[in-house]
Amino acid sequence: MGLTRRDALKLGVAGGALAALPLERSVFGATVVNRMPASKMAKPFTLPFRVPPVLASTGTEDVTTGDGVIRTYTRYDVAQTFSIASIMPGYKTPIFGYNGITPGPTIVARRGEPIVVNQTNRLHQPPAGAPNAKVPAKYSDDPMDRWTSTHLHGSASLPQYDGYASDVTLPGLRKRYIYPNSQDARTLWYHDHGVHHTSQNAYNGLAGMYILHDDVETGLGIPQGAYDVPVIVKDAMLDTSGGLIYDDNGESGVYGDIVLVNGVPWPAMQVEPRKYRFRILNASVSRSYEWQLHDGTSAVPMTVIGTDAGLMPQPQVVSKLRHGMAERYEVIIDFAPYAQKPGQAAAKLTLNNIPPKNNVAYASVKYAMQFVVGPESSIQSTENNSIPTLWNSAIEMPECMTWTEQGLLAQGVTQRRFAFVRTNGHWTINGETWQNVVDSNYTHCMAEMDLGAVEIWELANTSGGWFHPVHIHLVDFQVLSRNGKASLVRPFEKGAKDVVYVGENETVRVAMRFAGPSAGEGWAAPRGRYMMHCHNLVHEDHDMMMQFSVGDPDHDPECDPITGDPAW
């Protein structure tokens, strides 16, 4: 059920590379016998918070767009490398990184300015200075067993640039991705999506943030620049030598006992007594969180201003925030009330985690990081330090958030139901797995719709033993209801999203239009085959993933997700 030799032939793989591909997917499940003891770990809140570097452009690249015209786009180059990181002080950890680091460098883009990102797979090369380093996290020692596919999560990309799971880049090859940046400002992220290796590649470090700005968002007066902070959270487990331990618990999920924030275990961040905007991404493979900010006496309110697909129609003040894998929330925290007074110790606010059900709740994952608030004299800037009171007049509401379920039903929109069920050891959607897609030569679609169609999808999880964060590629959607009740949609979910937390024994209804905006000048709106899957990446790998087709009943080769613009 892995990338078979037949699949490799379809992808044009030949010679030694073909001979090296595994016949079957590996079987995982390490026994946690060499887990690093807490006495060897850094004490919480003793390491400094750090921000991933911003990726610099490497020039420009000429691109022939869909209308046959050559246009020049800004270019970025990223290498996927087998590297060594210092995660825990005193230890060296083998990782897979973008440009050698995890999280990868942040890509910052602007609406209306398409870019090219060239991703080169160098995971077959040993780390510089450490040629005998152990491959991380129970990965095969065969270097050709490290294929990748890069998904820009949240982008309305053309299918051949979407990071389709079976559109793999083998070691030694490069894949060009063209990103239209045609949507409203939002927090996206790029991560690996290679078929049956997604959980390992992401766990080993292949994840990074991608921030898209526009004029509306930058003109609101909300925190910007140094006060607009990426926060990438994931869990991990290390062995006694500092290596990553990958244990998928019988193909149910990977759970670590260390919470990493931007790659640092339980860091402390020095903040000024003013408003900050935090773009919080849950990049964990299987762990969900429920955040609560606490000052040592009581919970501190957080103002959620953005969801996966950008700014919300209205900010929501919350005391708790449930956060599934791959979801992004933009949160403003006001530290002004905690300004350090002369002669007093600095206030410390802790971002606590109240573990949701069906996570392995080690004691050490009940907190993520701490904020240490400085005196008023530490404030460097008072600009962009507000949340507009006339929010609705300042932003344009996302289209999907203007709908009501009753209105859509009155229009007779198509409704579909998808059941996420574990059956006979397989993670399935409506009784099928990704293998059904592979066996059909990648043509089998569970849903086909016209470009621009509006539909309601019902996502059903009838199990009490696990939750499923469900990601639908290409689209932004509104969460209409949980178990038939709009009142059960949580306040922080009342914005456009591309991932929804389908909890234990829950049925969630979402509504979306199956059309992205034009993929930039010279391009038509995206059409072709896209994926929906559970973002517990272990479930996805084993094989809770399907595909649907948008405006492409005849499977036009120009928008084929595998052959449209293959790696070379």
Side-chain angles (χ1 to χ4, degrees), residues 8-27:
L9 287 170
K10 292 173 186 173
L11 296 172
V13 181
L18 173 60
L21 283 170
L23 291 174
E24 297 181 355
R25 183 171 54 205
S26 301
V27 177

Side-chain angles (χ1 to χ4, degrees), residues 440-558:
S440 72
N441 195 22
Y442 304 101
T443 61
H444 172 63
C445 296
M446 201 172 284
E448 299 191 58
M449 65 285 298
D450 293 335
L451 185 65
V454 176
E455 297 193 0
I456 294 175
W457 285 13
E458 188 169 274
L459 312 172
N461 173 14
T462 57
S463 167
W466 40 76
F467 57 92
H468 298 298
V470 177
H471 174 39
I472 307 174
H473 285 224
L474 176 66
V475 299
D476 302 336
F477 56 72
Q478 179 190 162
V479 183
L480 297 172
S481 64
R482 289 182 180 278
N483 290 342
K485 297 181 179 179
S487 60
L488 295 181
V489 177
R490 301 191 179 198
F492 49 82
E493 296 178 303
K494 294 181 177 180
K497 292 180 58 58
D498 56 47
V499 181
V500 64
Y501 196 114
V502 184
E504 296 81 356
N505 295 307
E506 280 192 338
T507 296
V508 178
R509 288 168 66 82
V510 300
M512 65 231 106
R513 183 183 297 280
F514 285 91
S518 169
E521 185 180 7
W523 298 99
R527 64 185 184 89
R529 281 162 280 160
Y530 293 89
M531 298 174 294
M532 175 175 72
H533 59 86
C534 175
H535 225 288
N536 180 329
L537 298 179
V538 176
H539 296 183
E540 176 194 318
D541 282 345
H542 296 282
D543 269 310
M544 193 172 263
M545 182 161 59
M546 57 81 90
Q547 71 174 353
F548 56 92
S549 175
V550 179
D552 185 31
D554 299 321
H555 298 219
D556 185 343
E558 290 189 5

Side-chain angles (χ1 to χ4, degrees), residues 432-447:
E432 297 184 8
T433 70
W434 189 249
Q435 191 64 30
N436 294 88
V437 175
V438 174
D439 290 343
S440 72
N441 195 22
Y442 304 101
T443 61
H444 172 63
C445 296
M446 201 172 284

